[in-house]
Amino acid sequence: MAASNQLLPVTPLLGVITGVLLLGAVAAAGWGLLGHGWAVLRAGARAVVQLAAVAAVIAWVVGSLWTSALFVVLMFTVAVRTAGRRMTAGPEWVWAAAPIGLGVLPVLALLLGSGLLPRQGISLIPVAGILIGGGLTATSLAGRRALDELRQRRGEVEAALALGFEDRDARLEICRTAAATSLVPALDQTRTVGLVTLPGAFVGMLLGGATPVQAGAVQLFVLIALLAVEAVAVVVVLELVGRGRVTG
Protein backbone atom coordinates (compact mmCIF):
# COMPACT_ATOMS: atom_id res chain seq x y z
CA MET A 1 0.00 0.00 0.00
CA ALA A 2 1.25 3.49 -0.82
CA ALA A 3 2.30 5.71 2.04
CA SER A 4 -0.35 8.22 3.02
CA ASN A 5 2.09 11.15 2.83
CA GLN A 6 2.91 10.62 -0.85
CA LEU A 7 1.58 13.06 -3.42
CA LEU A 8 1.34 10.23 -5.98
CA PRO A 9 1.98 6.53 -5.27
CA VAL A 10 5.10 5.32 -7.10
CA THR A 11 3.70 2.25 -8.83
CA PRO A 12 3.89 0.76 -12.35
CA LEU A 13 0.61 2.51 -13.07
CA LEU A 14 2.32 5.88 -12.51
CA GLY A 15 4.90 4.97 -15.16
CA VAL A 16 2.20 3.90 -17.61
CA ILE A 17 0.18 7.10 -17.12
CA THR A 18 3.34 9.21 -17.47
CA GLY A 19 4.12 7.49 -20.78
CA VAL A 20 0.59 8.03 -22.02
CA LEU A 21 0.77 11.73 -21.16
CA LEU A 22 4.11 12.09 -22.93
CA LEU A 23 2.71 10.46 -26.07
CA GLY A 24 -0.31 12.74 -25.79
CA ALA A 25 1.95 15.79 -25.68
CA VAL A 26 3.84 14.53 -28.75
CA ALA A 27 0.57 13.88 -30.58
CA ALA A 28 -0.82 17.33 -29.71
CA ALA A 29 2.36 19.04 -30.91
CA GLY A 30 2.29 17.06 -34.14
CA TRP A 31 -1.42 17.56 -34.79
CA GLY A 32 -1.07 21.27 -34.22
CA LEU A 33 1.94 21.47 -36.56
CA LEU A 34 3.96 23.13 -33.80
CA GLY A 35 7.20 21.69 -35.11
CA HIS A 36 8.24 20.38 -31.69
CA GLY A 37 6.86 16.84 -31.65
CA TRP A 38 10.24 15.11 -31.60
CA ALA A 39 11.60 17.74 -29.20
CA VAL A 40 8.82 16.91 -26.73
CA LEU A 41 9.61 13.20 -27.00
CA ARG A 42 13.35 13.79 -26.58
CA ALA A 43 12.76 16.08 -23.61
CA GLY A 44 10.64 13.44 -21.91
CA ALA A 45 13.20 10.72 -22.58
CA ARG A 46 16.02 12.90 -21.29
CA ALA A 47 14.04 13.66 -18.14
CA VAL A 48 13.68 9.94 -17.47
CA VAL A 49 17.41 9.30 -17.85
CA GLN A 50 18.51 12.39 -15.93
CA LEU A 51 16.14 11.86 -13.00
CA ALA A 52 17.15 8.21 -12.78
CA ALA A 53 20.81 9.24 -12.66
CA VAL A 54 20.16 11.92 -10.05
CA ALA A 55 18.15 9.51 -7.92
CA ALA A 56 21.05 7.06 -8.08
CA VAL A 57 23.72 9.51 -6.88
CA ILE A 58 21.87 12.07 -4.78
CA ALA A 59 22.30 10.16 -1.50
CA TRP A 60 26.07 10.14 -1.99
CA VAL A 61 26.25 13.75 -3.17
CA VAL A 62 24.37 15.28 -0.23
CA GLY A 63 26.58 13.51 2.26
CA SER A 64 29.35 16.10 1.84
CA LEU A 65 29.22 19.86 1.48
CA TRP A 66 32.04 19.74 -1.08
CA THR A 67 30.37 17.19 -3.32
CA SER A 68 27.13 19.11 -2.97
CA ALA A 69 28.91 22.29 -4.07
CA LEU A 70 30.35 20.46 -7.08
CA PHE A 71 26.87 19.27 -7.97
CA VAL A 72 25.63 22.87 -7.82
CA VAL A 73 28.49 23.90 -10.13
CA LEU A 74 27.41 21.15 -12.53
CA MET A 75 23.83 22.44 -12.47
CA PHE A 76 25.08 25.95 -13.14
CA THR A 77 27.24 24.79 -16.05
CA VAL A 78 24.38 22.93 -17.68
CA ALA A 79 22.10 25.94 -17.19
CA VAL A 80 24.64 28.27 -18.82
CA ARG A 81 25.05 25.95 -21.78
CA THR A 82 21.29 25.52 -22.20
CA ALA A 83 20.38 29.20 -21.88
CA GLY A 84 23.34 30.30 -23.99
CA ARG A 85 22.45 27.98 -26.84
CA ARG A 86 18.85 29.18 -26.70
CA MET A 87 20.10 32.72 -27.25
CA THR A 88 22.73 32.16 -29.92
CA ALA A 89 24.54 29.42 -31.81
CA GLY A 90 27.81 31.35 -31.74
CA PRO A 91 30.63 31.15 -29.18
CA GLU A 92 29.18 34.10 -27.27
CA TRP A 93 26.75 31.67 -25.62
CA VAL A 94 29.23 31.58 -22.71
CA TRP A 95 28.00 35.05 -21.73
CA ALA A 96 24.90 33.35 -20.34
CA ALA A 97 27.01 32.72 -17.24
CA ALA A 98 26.77 36.42 -16.37
CA PRO A 99 22.97 36.82 -16.01
CA ILE A 100 22.51 33.46 -14.31
CA GLY A 101 25.48 33.93 -11.99
CA LEU A 102 24.71 37.53 -11.08
CA GLY A 103 21.13 36.58 -10.34
CA VAL A 104 21.77 33.43 -8.32
CA LEU A 105 25.07 33.94 -6.48
CA PRO A 106 24.05 37.00 -4.40
CA VAL A 107 20.90 35.21 -3.20
CA LEU A 108 22.83 32.07 -2.24
CA ALA A 109 25.53 34.17 -0.55
CA LEU A 110 22.88 36.03 1.46
CA LEU A 111 21.19 32.80 2.54
CA LEU A 112 24.43 31.04 3.51
CA GLY A 113 25.98 34.12 5.09
CA SER A 114 22.92 34.82 7.23
CA GLY A 115 22.68 31.20 8.32
CA LEU A 116 19.12 30.94 7.04
CA LEU A 117 20.18 28.17 4.66
CA PRO A 118 21.98 25.34 6.50
CA ARG A 119 25.35 24.43 5.03
CA GLN A 120 24.20 20.96 4.16
CA GLY A 121 23.79 19.36 0.77
CA ILE A 122 20.20 18.35 1.45
CA SER A 123 19.35 22.06 1.80
CA LEU A 124 21.83 23.63 -0.62
CA ILE A 125 21.09 21.52 -3.70
CA PRO A 126 17.31 22.01 -3.94
CA VAL A 127 17.44 25.74 -3.19
CA ALA A 128 20.29 26.31 -5.64
CA GLY A 129 18.47 24.21 -8.23
CA ILE A 130 15.30 26.29 -7.95
CA LEU A 131 17.22 29.55 -8.28
CA ILE A 132 19.42 28.36 -11.15
CA GLY A 133 16.34 27.05 -12.96
CA GLY A 134 14.69 30.45 -12.66
CA GLY A 135 17.82 32.18 -13.92
CA LEU A 136 18.02 29.79 -16.87
CA THR A 137 14.43 30.45 -17.90
CA ALA A 138 14.71 34.23 -17.62
CA THR A 139 18.04 34.33 -19.46
CA SER A 140 16.97 32.18 -22.39
CA LEU A 141 13.61 33.92 -22.80
CA ALA A 142 14.97 37.45 -22.46
CA GLY A 143 17.90 36.79 -24.78
CA ARG A 144 15.83 35.14 -27.46
CA ARG A 145 13.09 37.78 -27.37
CA ALA A 146 15.55 40.67 -27.38
CA LEU A 147 17.51 39.30 -30.34
CA ASP A 148 14.35 38.44 -32.28
CA GLU A 149 13.04 41.95 -31.74
CA LEU A 150 16.27 43.49 -32.99
CA ARG A 151 16.17 41.38 -36.13
CA GLN A 152 12.55 42.18 -36.88
CA ARG A 153 12.92 45.89 -36.17
CA ARG A 154 16.38 46.50 -37.58
CA GLY A 155 15.14 49.54 -39.46
CA GLU A 156 14.03 51.19 -36.21
CA VAL A 157 17.44 50.58 -34.68
CA GLU A 158 19.07 52.27 -37.65
CA ALA A 159 16.61 55.15 -37.38
CA ALA A 160 17.52 55.62 -33.72
CA LEU A 161 21.20 55.64 -34.64
CA ALA A 162 20.50 58.27 -37.28
CA LEU A 163 18.87 60.40 -34.59
CA GLY A 164 22.07 60.33 -32.56
CA PHE A 165 21.49 57.44 -30.19
CA GLU A 166 24.51 55.43 -29.07
CA ASP A 167 24.59 51.80 -30.27
CA ARG A 168 23.66 50.47 -26.84
CA ASP A 169 20.84 52.92 -26.31
CA ALA A 170 19.41 52.33 -29.78
CA ARG A 171 19.30 48.58 -29.27
CA LEU A 172 17.80 48.83 -25.79
CA GLU A 173 15.15 51.27 -26.95
CA ILE A 174 13.88 48.61 -29.36
CA CYS A 175 14.32 45.35 -27.45
CA ARG A 176 13.77 46.27 -23.78
CA THR A 177 9.99 45.86 -23.77
CA ALA A 178 10.09 42.48 -25.50
CA ALA A 179 12.77 41.14 -23.17
CA ALA A 180 10.90 42.40 -20.11
CA THR A 181 7.98 40.08 -20.92
CA SER A 182 10.26 37.25 -19.76
CA LEU A 183 9.26 38.19 -16.21
CA VAL A 184 5.57 37.57 -16.87
CA PRO A 185 5.57 33.82 -15.95
CA ALA A 186 7.24 34.52 -12.59
CA LEU A 187 4.93 37.47 -11.95
CA ASP A 188 1.83 35.42 -12.78
CA GLN A 189 2.98 32.55 -10.57
CA THR A 190 3.54 34.92 -7.65
CA ARG A 191 0.26 36.77 -8.16
CA THR A 192 -1.83 33.60 -8.32
CA VAL A 193 -0.07 31.42 -5.74
CA GLY A 194 -2.62 29.79 -3.46
CA LEU A 195 -5.47 30.78 -5.74
CA VAL A 196 -4.64 28.94 -8.96
CA THR A 197 -1.69 26.71 -8.04
CA LEU A 198 0.01 25.28 -4.97
CA PRO A 199 3.69 25.20 -5.97
CA GLY A 200 6.06 22.35 -5.29
CA ALA A 201 7.85 23.77 -2.24
CA PHE A 202 4.53 24.35 -0.47
CA VAL A 203 3.15 20.89 -1.24
CA GLY A 204 6.46 19.19 -0.50
CA MET A 205 6.73 20.76 2.95
CA LEU A 206 3.14 19.85 3.79
CA LEU A 207 3.81 16.24 2.80
CA GLY A 208 6.98 16.35 4.88
CA GLY A 209 5.01 17.27 8.00
CA ALA A 210 5.37 21.07 8.11
CA THR A 211 2.47 23.24 9.17
CA PRO A 212 0.60 25.26 6.52
CA VAL A 213 2.13 28.46 7.96
CA GLN A 214 5.68 27.08 7.68
CA ALA A 215 5.04 25.80 4.17
CA GLY A 216 3.53 29.13 3.13
CA ALA A 217 6.48 31.10 4.51
CA VAL A 218 9.03 28.97 2.64
CA GLN A 219 7.02 29.13 -0.59
CA LEU A 220 6.75 32.91 -0.29
CA PHE A 221 10.52 33.13 0.09
CA VAL A 222 11.05 30.92 -2.99
CA LEU A 223 8.74 33.05 -5.13
CA ILE A 224 10.29 36.36 -4.04
CA ALA A 225 13.81 34.98 -4.48
CA LEU A 226 12.92 33.83 -7.98
CA LEU A 227 11.58 37.27 -8.84
CA ALA A 228 14.88 38.80 -7.70
CA VAL A 229 16.99 36.27 -9.62
CA GLU A 230 14.98 36.62 -12.81
CA ALA A 231 14.78 40.41 -12.70
CA VAL A 232 18.57 40.64 -12.37
CA ALA A 233 19.04 38.07 -15.13
CA VAL A 234 16.83 40.02 -17.55
CA VAL A 235 18.63 43.29 -16.82
CA VAL A 236 22.04 41.68 -17.40
CA VAL A 237 20.87 40.02 -20.62
CA LEU A 238 19.67 43.38 -21.91
CA GLU A 239 23.06 44.90 -21.18
CA LEU A 240 24.82 42.08 -23.01
CA VAL A 241 22.56 42.43 -26.02
CA GLY A 242 22.70 46.24 -25.94
CA ARG A 243 26.50 46.23 -25.85
CA GLY A 244 26.71 43.67 -28.65
CA ARG A 245 28.27 40.94 -26.48
CA VAL A 246 25.50 38.55 -27.56
CA THR A 247 24.22 38.58 -31.12
CA GLY A 248 21.80 36.37 -33.00
Side-chain angles (χ1 to χ4, degrees), residues 144-157 174:
R144 190 71 268 149
R145 290 173 181 175
L147 292 171
D148 286 346
E149 196 77 354
L150 289 178
R151 273 194 297 271
Q152 295 170 10
R153 301 172 61 185
R154 181 59 193 171
E156 295 177 55
V157 175
I174 301 304

mmCIF file of all heavy atoms in Angstrom, residues 144-157 174:
data_model
loop_
_atom_site.group_PDB
_atom_site.id
_atom_site.type_symbol
_atom_site.label_atom_id
_atom_site.label_comp_id
_atom_site.label_asym_id
_atom_site.label_seq_id
_atom_site.Cartn_x
_atom_site.Cartn_y
_atom_site.Cartn_z
ATOM 1 N N ARG A 144 16.461 35.483 -26.186
ATOM 2 C CA ARG A 144 15.831 35.140 -27.457
ATOM 3 C C ARG A 144 14.878 36.238 -27.922
ATOM 4 O O ARG A 144 14.848 36.623 -29.086
ATOM 5 C CB ARG A 144 15.071 33.818 -27.290
ATOM 6 C CG ARG A 144 14.555 33.199 -28.560
ATOM 7 C CD ARG A 144 15.669 32.643 -29.395
ATOM 8 N NE ARG A 144 16.169 33.613 -30.368
ATOM 9 C CZ ARG A 144 17.391 33.669 -30.801
ATOM 10 N NH1 ARG A 144 18.311 32.855 -30.342
ATOM 11 N NH2 ARG A 144 17.759 34.559 -31.696
ATOM 12 N N ARG A 145 14.064 36.756 -26.997
ATOM 13 C CA ARG A 145 13.093 37.781 -27.371
ATOM 14 C C ARG A 145 13.781 39.087 -27.762
ATOM 15 O O ARG A 145 13.360 39.759 -28.711
ATOM 16 C CB ARG A 145 12.111 38.010 -26.227
ATOM 17 C CG ARG A 145 11.170 36.835 -26.020
ATOM 18 C CD ARG A 145 10.298 36.969 -24.794
ATOM 19 N NE ARG A 145 9.441 35.795 -24.639
ATOM 20 C CZ ARG A 145 8.640 35.587 -23.606
ATOM 21 N NH1 ARG A 145 8.574 36.484 -22.626
ATOM 22 N NH2 ARG A 145 7.900 34.490 -23.548
ATOM 23 N N ALA A 146 14.827 39.441 -27.049
ATOM 24 C CA ALA A 146 15.545 40.672 -27.380
ATOM 25 C C ALA A 146 16.180 40.572 -28.761
ATOM 26 O O ALA A 146 16.079 41.505 -29.579
ATOM 27 C CB ALA A 146 16.607 40.955 -26.321
ATOM 28 N N LEU A 147 16.834 39.460 -29.045
ATOM 29 C CA LEU A 147 17.509 39.303 -30.337
ATOM 30 C C LEU A 147 16.502 39.203 -31.486
ATOM 31 O O LEU A 147 16.728 39.750 -32.568
ATOM 32 C CB LEU A 147 18.402 38.063 -30.300
ATOM 33 C CG LEU A 147 19.615 38.172 -29.372
ATOM 34 C CD1 LEU A 147 20.316 36.828 -29.230
ATOM 35 C CD2 LEU A 147 20.592 39.231 -29.871
ATOM 36 N N ASP A 148 15.387 38.515 -31.247
ATOM 37 C CA ASP A 148 14.347 38.436 -32.280
ATOM 38 C C ASP A 148 13.783 39.822 -32.584
ATOM 39 O O ASP A 148 13.536 40.167 -33.745
ATOM 40 C CB ASP A 148 13.219 37.512 -31.828
ATOM 41 C CG ASP A 148 13.614 36.041 -31.883
ATOM 42 O OD1 ASP A 148 14.643 35.729 -32.511
ATOM 43 O OD2 ASP A 148 12.895 35.215 -31.285
ATOM 44 N N GLU A 149 13.585 40.603 -31.549
ATOM 45 C CA GLU A 149 13.039 41.947 -31.735
ATOM 46 C C GLU A 149 14.006 42.822 -32.529
ATOM 47 O O GLU A 149 13.590 43.591 -33.406
ATOM 48 C CB GLU A 149 12.763 42.582 -30.364
ATOM 49 C CG GLU A 149 11.851 43.793 -30.412
ATOM 50 C CD GLU A 149 10.384 43.433 -30.582
ATOM 51 O OE1 GLU A 149 10.074 42.240 -30.776
ATOM 52 O OE2 GLU A 149 9.548 44.342 -30.534
ATOM 53 N N LEU A 150 15.282 42.705 -32.250
ATOM 54 C CA LEU A 150 16.271 43.493 -32.988
ATOM 55 C C LEU A 150 16.314 43.109 -34.454
ATOM 56 O O LEU A 150 16.482 43.973 -35.324
ATOM 57 C CB LEU A 150 17.656 43.325 -32.356
ATOM 58 C CG LEU A 150 17.857 43.983 -30.990
ATOM 59 C CD1 LEU A 150 19.255 43.681 -30.461
ATOM 60 C CD2 LEU A 150 17.641 45.487 -31.060
ATOM 61 N N ARG A 151 16.176 41.819 -34.736
ATOM 62 C CA ARG A 151 16.169 41.383 -36.131
ATOM 63 C C ARG A 151 14.937 41.898 -36.872
ATOM 64 O O ARG A 151 15.023 42.371 -37.998
ATOM 65 C CB ARG A 151 16.237 39.854 -36.209
ATOM 66 C CG ARG A 151 17.639 39.292 -36.188
ATOM 67 C CD ARG A 151 17.656 37.842 -36.593
ATOM 68 N NE ARG A 151 16.890 37.027 -35.648
ATOM 69 C CZ ARG A 151 17.413 36.473 -34.560
ATOM 70 N NH1 ARG A 151 18.685 36.650 -34.277
ATOM 71 N NH2 ARG A 151 16.680 35.748 -33.753
ATOM 72 N N GLN A 152 13.795 41.789 -36.226
ATOM 73 C CA GLN A 152 12.552 42.176 -36.884
ATOM 74 C C GLN A 152 12.416 43.690 -37.048
ATOM 75 O O GLN A 152 11.733 44.160 -37.957
ATOM 76 C CB GLN A 152 11.358 41.627 -36.090
ATOM 77 C CG GLN A 152 11.279 40.112 -36.074
ATOM 78 C CD GLN A 152 10.245 39.591 -35.095
ATOM 79 O OE1 GLN A 152 9.450 40.362 -34.555
ATOM 80 N NE2 GLN A 152 10.246 38.282 -34.868
ATOM 81 N N ARG A 153 13.069 44.428 -36.158
ATOM 82 C CA ARG A 153 12.921 45.892 -36.173
ATOM 83 C C ARG A 153 14.262 46.579 -36.436
ATOM 84 O O ARG A 153 14.544 47.641 -35.899
ATOM 85 C CB ARG A 153 12.307 46.358 -34.850
ATOM 86 C CG ARG A 153 10.947 45.736 -34.560
ATOM 87 C CD ARG A 153 10.444 46.046 -33.163
ATOM 88 N NE ARG A 153 10.269 47.464 -32.951
ATOM 89 C CZ ARG A 153 9.926 48.008 -31.757
ATOM 90 N NH1 ARG A 153 9.751 47.224 -30.703
ATOM 91 N NH2 ARG A 153 9.792 49.312 -31.634
ATOM 92 N N ARG A 154 15.049 45.966 -37.286
ATOM 93 C CA ARG A 154 16.376 46.497 -37.582
ATOM 94 C C ARG A 154 16.305 47.926 -38.112
ATOM 95 O O ARG A 154 17.141 48.774 -37.789
ATOM 96 C CB ARG A 154 17.072 45.593 -38.603
ATOM 97 C CG ARG A 154 18.484 46.046 -38.979
ATOM 98 C CD ARG A 154 19.380 46.103 -37.765
ATOM 99 N NE ARG A 154 20.611 46.802 -38.025
ATOM 100 C CZ ARG A 154 21.495 47.138 -37.080
ATOM 101 N NH1 ARG A 154 21.262 46.834 -35.821
ATOM 102 N NH2 ARG A 154 22.605 47.772 -37.398
ATOM 103 N N GLY A 155 15.285 48.196 -38.914
ATOM 104 C CA GLY A 155 15.136 49.541 -39.457
ATOM 105 C C GLY A 155 14.950 50.583 -38.376
ATOM 106 O O GLY A 155 15.465 51.712 -38.490
ATOM 107 N N GLU A 156 14.241 50.236 -37.309
ATOM 108 C CA GLU A 156 14.027 51.187 -36.215
ATOM 109 C C GLU A 156 15.319 51.432 -35.438
ATOM 110 O O GLU A 156 15.555 52.541 -34.943
ATOM 111 C CB GLU A 156 12.933 50.675 -35.285
ATOM 112 C CG GLU A 156 11.562 50.603 -35.947
ATOM 113 C CD GLU A 156 10.506 50.022 -35.027
ATOM 114 O OE1 GLU A 156 10.344 50.562 -33.926
ATOM 115 O OE2 GLU A 156 9.858 49.033 -35.412
ATOM 116 N N VAL A 157 16.143 50.394 -35.326
ATOM 117 C CA VAL A 157 17.445 50.577 -34.678
ATOM 118 C C VAL A 157 18.284 51.561 -35.481
ATOM 119 O O VAL A 157 18.909 52.482 -34.926
ATOM 120 C CB VAL A 157 18.179 49.228 -34.543
ATOM 121 C CG1 VAL A 157 19.582 49.443 -33.976
ATOM 122 C CG2 VAL A 157 17.399 48.271 -33.663
ATOM 123 N N ILE A 174 14.712 49.485 -28.543
ATOM 124 C CA ILE A 174 13.876 48.611 -29.361
ATOM 125 C C ILE A 174 13.550 47.293 -28.661
ATOM 126 O O ILE A 174 12.421 46.791 -28.746
ATOM 127 C CB ILE A 174 14.568 48.321 -30.715
ATOM 128 C CG1 ILE A 174 14.818 49.635 -31.462
ATOM 129 C CG2 ILE A 174 13.740 47.373 -31.555
ATOM 130 C CD1 ILE A 174 13.583 50.483 -31.688
#
